Amino acid sequence: MFVHHCSACDRRQLIFPSQIKGTAELAGEPGLAFTCWCGSEQVWLLGRKISAAAAA
Ligand SMILES: [Zn+2]
């Protein structure tokens, strides 16, 4: 789970794994594609958040 600020509904929402649809890329950055509670398609950029985990 993570908190994401949705660009569509302009709210901070808690996103559950069941909402994640897969991986995505935005501006060359890796991210997770998911559907917000409001129904908007969003991308959560992983960036350096997982780089340490991915290297392990
Ligand atoms: Zn939303």
Side-chain angles (χ1 to χ4, degrees), residues 4 6-11 13 36-40 42:
H4 173 80
C6 177
S7 60
C9 60
D10 198 27
R11 284 181 178 176
Q13 304 273 24
C36 177
W37 296 101
C38 69
S40 170
Q42 297 282 304

Side-chain angles (χ1 to χ4, degrees), residues 8-34:
C9 60
D10 198 27
R11 284 181 178 176
R12 277 166 60 90
Q13 304 273 24
L14 193 58
I15 305 302
F16 289 81
S18 60
Q19 291 170 266
I20 296 171
K21 304 173 71 177
T23 55
E25 249 187 65
L26 191 67
E29 301 260 356
L32 289 177
F34 64 93

